[in-house]
């Protein structure tokens, strides 16, 4: 990924309609967009691939209206997350209705993944979509709290609480017997 | 909360395993029956012009050249197994090539397929076939006659790797005879119509300022001047 200043310069030129800059801008943001969308929607999902491409097209279309090139990374992720969240919700509904995940070949091959990562993946997939988006933007894309908030259209405090919530749920799912996590479980009513 | 945390580290590790390659896979319209890309050595631009094919009886399918079985299968695959919301409604085996142009990277074709119904993308579906493809669906083809309208889209470099750049679209053929591209450098380019469709390659630095549909006398019937960054531009009339 280009240094932010390079990305900002590219965004400025691309916004003006310079086709070479548009090309280079897309090449630069594509890896971020594709990875982030895939992680939120679910790697190996055909719906995720659709969302990746739709997000990239949205970004191309939206370039002329990019208001602040200084915040282009958050802007790009805002577009990507809009597609990702929508696709993830649709994917979850389809999975529930069909009982099967919508998998395609070649992406996220589970046979090569360590067991721990598979467990984390399963637990992550069960998180609410917005929590997944926050986790991806903060931990994979590397956005700041403020940038993540900009990208998801929420307050920085919401970003913090969603990441905290994601962590708590993951810990419960991964180590349910760990006393350290027991306090995170909902309190039981006395019987 | 610090982002340095064993649980979050687990999450980061998982992300690294599952993020996959950084390029989008070709757009597949068969989510439950993955298709394999066939490297056809040619790049085809596919238009499923439902409204045109069914509404105005242009006889597109009488004059076109049938596409290869591989391309036919690729087009048909767009509808096979696709959930209703993603199904462009391709009528298998009906695709014909209307326009073929040479490019630096091989032959590009404009292919039209019959569609069984209005698709989720409002009547026009197109995708690249070959080793890079999948620009999706956009921009309805206007088949009406009043008012005349021209639409166009532009395939943009870099979304799916290096591709030629094209401008393509449709205008009501009974009225228009030529399409004129006004480029931002002040030059103009006239493009012939084939059953109302046009396809041309742009140079690396060409920028389209305006697309016009001209009648045989050279009068402007319809024009579109919105910046064609992206693909699938809505139609307007003068």
């Amino acid at each position: 990924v280009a240094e932010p200043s390079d990305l900002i310069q590219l965004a400025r030129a691309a916004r003006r309609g310079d086709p070479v800059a548009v090309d280079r801008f897309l090449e630069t943001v594509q890896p971020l967009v594709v990875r982030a969308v895939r992680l939120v929607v679910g790697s190996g999902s055909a719906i995720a691939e659709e969302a990746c491409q739709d997000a990239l097209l949205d970004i191309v279309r939206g370039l002329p209206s990019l208001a602040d090139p200084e915040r282009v990374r958050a802007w790009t992720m805002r577009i990507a997350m809009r597609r990702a969240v929508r696709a993830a919700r649709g994917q979850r509904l389809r999975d529930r209705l069909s009982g099967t995940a919508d998998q395609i070949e070649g992406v996220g091959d589970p046979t090569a993944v360590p067991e721990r990562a598979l467990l984390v993946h399963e637990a992550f997939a069960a998180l609410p979509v917005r929590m997944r988006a926050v986790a991806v933007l903060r931990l994979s894309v590397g956005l700041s709290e403020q940038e993540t908030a900009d990208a998801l259209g929420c307050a920085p405090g919401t970003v913090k609480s969603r990441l905290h919530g994601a962590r708590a749920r993951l810990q419960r799912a991964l180590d349910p017997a760990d006393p350290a996590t027991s306090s995170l479980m909902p309190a039981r009513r006395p019987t | 909360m610090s982002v340095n945390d064993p649980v979050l580290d687990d999450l980061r590790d998982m992300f690294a395993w599952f993020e996959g390659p950084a390029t989008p896979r070709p757009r597949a319209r068969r989510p439950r029956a993955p298709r394999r890309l066939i490297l056809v050595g040619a790049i085809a631009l596919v238009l499923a012009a439902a409204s045109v094919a069914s509404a105005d009886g242009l006889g597109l399918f009488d004059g076109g050249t049938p596409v290869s079985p591989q391309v036919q299968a690729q087009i048909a695959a767009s509808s096979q197994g696709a959930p209703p919301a993603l199904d462009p409604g391709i009528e298998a085996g009906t695709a014909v090539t209307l326009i073929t142009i040479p490019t630096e990277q091989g032959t590009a074709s404009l292919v039209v397929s019959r569609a069984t119904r209005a698709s989720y993308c409002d009547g026009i579906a197109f995708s690249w076939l070959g080793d890079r493809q999948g620009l999706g669906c956009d921009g309805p083809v206007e088949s009406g006659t009043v008012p005349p309208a021209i639409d166009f889209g532009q395939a943009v470099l870099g979304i799916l790797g290096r591709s030629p750049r094209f401008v393509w679209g449709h205008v009501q053929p009974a009225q228009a005879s030529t399409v004129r591209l006004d480029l931002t450098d002040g030059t103009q380019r006239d493009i012939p119509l084939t059953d109302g469709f046009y396809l041309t390659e742009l140079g690396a630095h060409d920028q389209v300022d305006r697309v016009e549909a001209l009648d045989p006398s050279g009068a402007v019937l319809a024009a579109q001047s919105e910046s064609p960054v992206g693909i699938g531009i809505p139609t307007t009339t003068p």
Side-chain angles (χ1 to χ4, degrees):
Chain A
V1 178
E3 290 296 318
S5 60
D6 294 340
L7 190 60
I8 292 166
Q9 286 183 359
L10 271 179
R12 285 204 179 99
R15 186 176 60 165
R16 290 193 297 268
D18 175 350
V20 176
V22 171
D23 183 23
R24 288 187 54 212
F25 177 78
L26 276 173
E27 286 176 350
T28 304
V29 300
Q30 177 176 290
L32 274 180
V33 169
V34 169
R35 286 176 178 147
V37 171
R38 274 198 191 131
L39 289 173
V40 171
V41 181
S43 299
S45 151
I47 300 299
E49 301 306 304
E50 294 276 349
C52 288
Q53 298 198 24
D54 287 339
L56 289 166
L57 291 171
D58 287 348
I59 288 165
V60 175
R61 291 194 192 97
L63 270 172
S65 62
L66 168 62
D68 184 1
E70 301 280 335
R71 300 167 79 179
V72 66
R73 217 160 53 125
W75 176 84
T76 301
M77 281 300 133
R78 182 164 65 242
I79 292 172
M81 287 303 106
R82 198 160 50 216
R83 285 288 184 183
V85 167
R86 191 183 307 165
R89 287 177 174 152
Q91 174 87 330
R92 182 162 281 182
L93 179 62
R94 271 186 289 275
D95 291 349
R96 280 182 187 157
L97 292 175
S98 68
T100 56
D102 181 17
Q103 297 294 311
I104 60 173
E105 299 165 335
V107 178
D109 177 8
T111 61
V113 181
E115 188 178 353
R116 180 71 176 174
L118 285 173
L119 289 171
V120 175
H121 184 254
E122 189 178 339
F124 181 73
L127 294 178
V129 173
R130 287 278 173 182
M131 278 189 186
R132 278 149 60 180
V134 166
V136 167
L137 293 182
R138 291 285 283 128
L139 305 178
S140 177
V141 178
L143 295 190
S144 68
E145 251 172 32
Q146 182 62 56
E147 287 175 321
T148 305
D150 288 347
L152 296 176
C154 61
T158 307
V159 171
K160 191 177 289 188
S161 66
R162 280 182 183 156
L163 188 58
H164 181 83
R167 182 197 173 281
R169 287 184 187 223
L170 286 173
Q171 191 164 21
R172 278 206 303 272
L174 296 170
D175 301 301
D178 185 348
T181 66
S182 60
S183 64
L184 298 171
M185 300 290 284
R188 287 189 177 190
R189 288 184 181 177
T191 54
Chain B
M1 178 179 56
S2 165
V3 292
N4 297 314
D5 175 286
V7 175
L8 299 185
D9 287 345
D10 274 346
L11 204 47
R12 287 193 188 90
D13 288 346
M14 182 277 284
F15 286 159
W17 278 104
F18 279 89
E19 64 187 10
T23 52
R25 290 171 62 89
R27 185 178 292 260
R29 295 290 179 204
R30 287 192 308 168
R32 306 205 186 282
R35 68 175 172 179
R36 297 179 186 283
L37 282 180
I38 300 169
L39 305 183
V40 294
I43 302 167
L45 181 66
V46 179
L47 289 171
S51 57
V52 171
S54 59
D56 59 11
L58 295 174
L60 295 174
F61 302 98
D62 300 329
T65 307
V67 301
S68 71
Q70 291 93 335
V71 173
Q72 202 76 268
Q74 289 282 350
I75 295 167
S78 303
S79 281
Q80 292 167 3
L86 292 177
D87 183 1
I90 294 296
E91 191 175 323
T94 60
V96 293
T97 301
L98 288 183
I99 307 171
T100 300
I101 61 171
T103 77
E104 289 182 358
Q105 298 181 42
T107 301
S109 301
L110 186 71
V111 179
V112 179
S113 176
R114 284 189 193 277
T116 55
R117 57 182 174 75
S119 71
Y120 74 100
C121 49
D122 297 327
I124 185 168
F126 56 94
S127 61
W128 299 106
L129 300 181
D131 57 352
R132 61 181 85 86
Q133 58 95 284
L135 289 181
C137 304
D138 262 289
V141 169
E142 298 288 344
S143 59
T145 56
V146 181
I150 182 168
D151 63 12
F152 76 109
Q154 181 175 334
V156 180
L157 275 166
I159 295 175
L160 299 164
R162 295 278 170 183
S163 301
R165 298 173 67 228
F166 298 106
V167 171
W168 56 268
H170 174 257
V171 64
Q172 178 61 23
Q175 301 165 322
S177 60
T178 311
V179 164
R180 175 168 293 167
L181 294 186
D182 290 334
L183 302 177
T184 52
D185 64 4
T187 60
Q188 292 182 324
R189 188 188 302 176
D190 287 352
I191 308 166
L193 285 166
T194 303
D195 288 330
F197 288 90
Y198 63 94
L199 169 70
T200 190
E201 185 178 18
L202 292 177
H205 301 288
D206 286 345
Q207 279 281 78
V208 178
D209 186 45
R210 179 180 162 94
V211 178
E212 298 170 337
L214 307 181
D215 71 9
S217 71
V220 177
L221 292 171
Q224 167 62 260
S225 59
E226 190 172 333
S227 171
V229 175
I231 56 177
I233 309 299
T235 55
T236 59
T237 52

